[in-house]
């Protein structure tokens, strides 16, 4: 690698000596020197090509080509420094912008939830309506927010789901205090007891919420996100199993979510804690949405059993929805009954979570 010049000179000298010996041999046989030189070169072949082939045996062609290209580029840059700087800055900005945009697109549009087998997750509903409704939601009849009573009706009618969870469409911020420590503000989300099992997510420490926690009269518990555990509670291992004050109500910390888990949707401010739906009336009192059969505020998200066809299940759940709506005066009164035949649900892929942020920013990101 470091003695190529000398070796190339030796090669050229060796080839010249070979030709000279052949010419001398032909001259000794009576061939005129000029004709002998011509005959020797013809017998020897293309000397330049032979020399190149010999050199290639000793070289790393790609490395040599790269080295030659770099040297040429540096010479051109030295000749036109202004143009070179424009090119370098343009490339840097272009590469940086593309990297930033792809990072954003991946993080919002392409990223899957950090859960078990996200490809089998399905949401009942495909829009980003939020957060409380008690009337027909869309003119085309596409339903995507459900009351707790409607969720229970669909869950009972759809054994095609291994698990079906209900998730609050919006969110709450609660003041939480452990013992005599200063209180901290935590973003919380009400979820059904099947939430963590549906997503296939365990706990980093402690345990996740369960169906037993989501029953009337069950002891109030919550799960704290790993990020909030670290930032708000200093990673205190004694937090798990301890009692914390949530807006004046005693809750037991059942566990800490895994570090990679950020919830059921891509959001700029993910939840810091998860509470069961059964505790919503305790926290909200007279404003409880859970106890209002006509208050649509939940996103159902489930895990389909293997081999289940979505088309028939979608039609079945749409029929269940229409039947439930017909039983509710809030939807049938004042001419609302005429709109019920149009109401239906769409089963949407939920591997990337509830697509609120994706739907809100999707067109802009695709244009970017």
């Amino acid at each position: 690698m470091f003695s190529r010049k000398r070796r190339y000179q030796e090669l050229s000298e060796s080839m010249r000596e070979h030709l000279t010996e052949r010419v001398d041999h032909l001259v000794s046989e009576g061939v005129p020197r000029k004709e002998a030189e011509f005959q020797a070169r013809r017998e020897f072949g293309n000397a330049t090509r032979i020399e190149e082939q010999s050199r290639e045996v000793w070289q790393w062609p790609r490395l040599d080509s790269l080295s030659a290209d770099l040297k040429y580029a540096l010479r051109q840059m030295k000749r036109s420094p202004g143009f070179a700087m424009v090119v370098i800055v343009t490339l840097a900005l272009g590469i940086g912008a593309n990297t930033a945009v792809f990072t954003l697109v991946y993080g919002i549009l392409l990223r899957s939830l950090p859960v078990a087998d996200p490809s089998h997750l399905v949401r009942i509903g495909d829009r980003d309506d939020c957060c409380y409704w008690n009337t027909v939601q869309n003119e085309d009849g596409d339903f995507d927010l459900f009351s707790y009573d409607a969720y229970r009706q669909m869950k009972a009618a759809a054994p095609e789901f291994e698990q079906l969870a209900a998730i609050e469409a919006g969110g709450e911020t609660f003041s939480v205090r452990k013992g005599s420590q200063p209180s901290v503000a935590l973003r919380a989300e009400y979820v059904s007891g099947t939430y963590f099992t549906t997503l296939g997510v365990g706990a980093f420490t402690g345990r996740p919420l369960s169906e037993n926690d989501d029953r009337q009269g069950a002891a109030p518990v919550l799960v704290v996100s790993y990020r909030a555990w670290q930032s708000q509670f200093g990673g205190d291992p004694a937090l798990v199993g301890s009692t914390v004050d949530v807006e004046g109500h005693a809750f037991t910390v059942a566990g800490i979510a895994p570090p990679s888990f950020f919830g059921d949707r891509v959001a700029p401010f993910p939840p810091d804690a998860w509470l069961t739906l059964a505790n919503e009336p305790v926290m909200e009192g007279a404003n409880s949405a859970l106890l209002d059969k006509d208050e649509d505020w939940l996103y159902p998200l489930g895990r389909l059993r293997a081999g289940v066809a979505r088309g028939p299940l979608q039609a079945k759940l749409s029929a269940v929805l229409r039947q439930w709506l017909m039983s509710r005066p809030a939807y049938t009164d004042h001419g609302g009954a005429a709109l019920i035949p149009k109401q239906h649900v769409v089963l949407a892929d939920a591997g990337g979570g509830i697509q609120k942020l994706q739907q809100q920013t999707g067109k802009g990101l695709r244009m970017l």
Side-chain angles (χ1 to χ4, degrees), residues 1 4 60-75:
M1 184 172 182
R4 291 181 183 177
W60 295 331
R62 292 183 181 179
L63 185 62
D64 288 337
S65 177
L66 176 62
S67 176
D69 289 343
L70 287 174
K71 290 177 181 177
Y72 176 77
L74 290 172
R75 287 198 300 270

Side-chain angles (χ1 to χ4, degrees), residues 340-351:
I340 290 178
K342 295 176 59 178
Q343 305 307 303
H344 63 278
V345 300
V346 175
L347 296 184
D349 290 329

Side-chain angles (χ1 to χ4, degrees), residues 240-289:
V240 176
S242 67
T243 299
V244 295
D245 181 283
V246 182
E247 299 286 349
H249 302 278
F251 276 74
T252 300
V253 179
I256 307 298
S260 62
F261 184 65
F262 53 82
D264 49 74
R265 70 200 77 173
V266 177
F269 303 105
D272 298 315
W274 293 269
L275 287 67
T276 61
L277 294 176
N279 288 304
E280 192 266 352
V282 176
M283 300 299 299
E284 306 301 329
N287 296 320
S288 171

